[in-house]
Amino acid sequence: MPANSFGSRFVVTTFGESHGPALGVVIDGCPAGVNFDADFLAHELARRRPGGALVSGRQERDQPEVLSGIYEGKTLGTPIAIVVRNHDARSEDYAQIAGALGGPSVRGGHADDVWRLKFGHSDPRGGGRSSGRETVSRVMAGAVAQMVLRARVPSLHIRSFAEQIGPEVLSAEQIQAAHQLSSAEIDGFPARFPSVSSAHAVSALLEAAKRDGKSYGGRALITAIGVPVGLGQPVFHKLKADLAAAFLGIGATCAVEIGEGEESSGAEGSEFHTGSRGQYGGIRGGISTGERLEARVSFKPTSSVLDVAKKGRHDPCIVPRAIPVLEAMMALVLVDHWLWMKTDRGDEP
């Protein structure tokens, strides 16, 4: 199976399966001399971890083991390899799926059957490589990318929150207020949905969904402020194209909007292009403008529902745990294009 690597300058290759012994990432292209923050890496993994009333009940420690690329607390410029061990896989939960491969997927919305048809052989336990657990590797890579960005572009800050959880949707006023919150404050809200008035409703919705085997879709809003001007290539590898690819590559993603997105399709040009209200999402001509980057990412309802969900351990909504994954993927794109810009200008990274 090819296509397990992402990036052009800051290249990450993820490996491992949901129920294998470990998952990991190899990062190639990280500049030397960057302070390696092991506490920050552990913190980002903890934000993505399963376990809790509103998410999957799978209990994983997700303690990172750095195998290479770091010496005396700094990056060496050589490949960085990091792994986490799996401790709480329950492979027996997938015996029925393993026996049914070759026919239609026994889990509607999953790709167990098409994986087997495409490759001739696959790992049905927890979805194998297609499991949401694979994103632990992306979060590890994203944490290293943020270490580089913090060292080289300290003004840059990435933040994301849930804008919609099933029928619960933030108002325009609540979205503006959420932009002023820190990541830690957003993490303190149930489902990372920053609304005091909706906290009980969101918790009740997802707790009932776990109990009844239901699931919900939702939408996340992700932003980056302090982005340097000039990131992105003007033809292929436009910044918006690489961001869209990064977000759409996350399981269950079904749509990405940059700036005003779908609303712009019904706009009139002399009004749309007047002033600066963030309508372009911080990107024009495929290149960052220095304004706030803003994207909305929509997720379909979790595919495991009804009896399958009741018997297993599944998220009733992907969005809450997708937040740190989205931030990781944005960091990977931004550091990749920052390194690319340095190459374009002949500067040292």
Side-chain angles (χ1 to χ4, degrees):
M1 182 198 302
N4 292 288
S5 299
F6 182 85
S8 298
R9 298 295 184 274
F10 192 93
V11 182
V12 302
T13 301
T14 72
F15 61 89
E17 292 80 41
S18 176
H19 287 217
L23 293 103
V25 65
V26 176
I27 304 165
D28 195 13
C30 180
V34 175
N35 289 328
F36 187 83
D37 190 339
D39 290 338
F40 178 70
L41 172 62
H43 174 263
E44 290 302 288
L45 285 171
R47 294 179 66 217
R48 197 219 68 95
R49 277 185 61 202
L54 306 184
V55 298
S56 166
R58 181 170 176 173
Q59 297 290 336
E60 291 290 354
R61 303 170 192 170
D62 286 350
Q63 295 175 338
E65 300 175 40
V66 180
L67 305 182
S68 67
I70 309 299
Y71 180 67
E72 295 185 342
K74 292 183 181 293
T75 59
L76 288 167
T78 58
I80 299 170
I82 313 172
V83 299
V84 295
R85 308 286 176 177
N86 289 327
H87 294 282
D88 191 32
R90 293 197 324 213
S91 301
E92 63 274 11
D93 291 350
Y94 297 87
Q96 179 186 2
I97 296 169
L101 283 176
S105 176
V106 297
R107 299 189 294 171
H110 278 279
D112 304 307
D113 52 346
V114 294
W115 272 59
R116 172 59 67 92
L117 289 170
K118 177 176 176 64
F119 296 109
H121 184 62
S122 63
D123 181 356
R125 303 167 303 167
R129 284 286 286 161
S130 67
S131 169
R133 179 133 181 81
E134 181 271 339
T135 60
V136 71
S137 302
R138 307 186 194 205
V139 169
M140 290 190 289
V144 177
Q146 290 193 64
M147 294 175 201
V148 177
L149 292 171
R150 288 192 306 182
R152 302 296 196 264
V153 194
S155 63
L156 195 156
H157 298 281
I158 299 170
R159 192 168 299 128
S160 182
F161 54 85
E163 187 181 57
Q164 179 175 0
I165 300 288
E168 298 290 331
V169 185
L170 292 180
S171 67
E173 293 76 17
Q174 288 174 319
I175 291 171
Q176 288 303 314
H179 282 313
Q180 309 306 314
L181 300 175
S182 67
S183 292
E185 290 171 323
I186 291 167
D187 288 349
F189 285 91
R192 295 187 167 105
F193 185 80
S195 167
V196 174
S197 61
S198 299
H200 176 73
V202 168
S203 295
L205 178 78
L206 297 183
E207 287 172 358
K210 282 188 72 174
R211 182 184 65 245
D212 300 335
K214 294 184 177 181
S215 69
Y216 291 94
R219 185 171 63 249
L221 192 153
I222 180 164
T223 63
I225 60 172
V227 178
V229 178
L231 301 188
Q233 300 299 329
V235 184
F236 301 112
H237 288 289
K238 287 179 168 65
L239 184 58
K240 64 179 180 180
D242 283 1
L243 285 171
F247 298 147
L248 286 168
I250 300 170
T253 307
C254 57
V256 173
E257 296 181 73
I258 307 292
E260 293 191 0
E262 187 177 354
E263 288 186 14
S264 64
S265 65
E268 192 281 317
S270 64
E271 296 177 355
F272 181 79
H273 297 293
T274 300
S276 179
R277 60 182 187 278
Q279 66 267 45
Y280 310 119
I283 303 170
R284 280 188 282 114
I287 299 171
S288 62
T289 63
E291 300 165 296
R292 183 173 70 191
L293 283 186
E294 183 170 287
R296 286 176 166 83
V297 184
S298 299
F299 294 85
K300 68 179 182 179
T302 315
S303 298
S304 294
V305 295
L306 303 177
D307 287 342
V308 172
K310 292 177 185 178
K311 294 176 182 177
R313 300 170 296 175
H314 307 280
D315 294 284
C317 179
I318 294 295
V319 178
R321 290 182 59 217
I323 296 300
V325 182
L326 288 169
E327 293 173 2
M329 295 310 294
M330 177 174 270
L332 289 174
V333 172
L334 294 181
V335 77
D336 199 43
H337 278 280
W338 180 82
L339 289 168
W340 207 337
M341 181 175 69
K342 291 295 179 181
T343 303
D344 292 340
R345 295 177 177 178
D347 298 335
E348 289 292 329

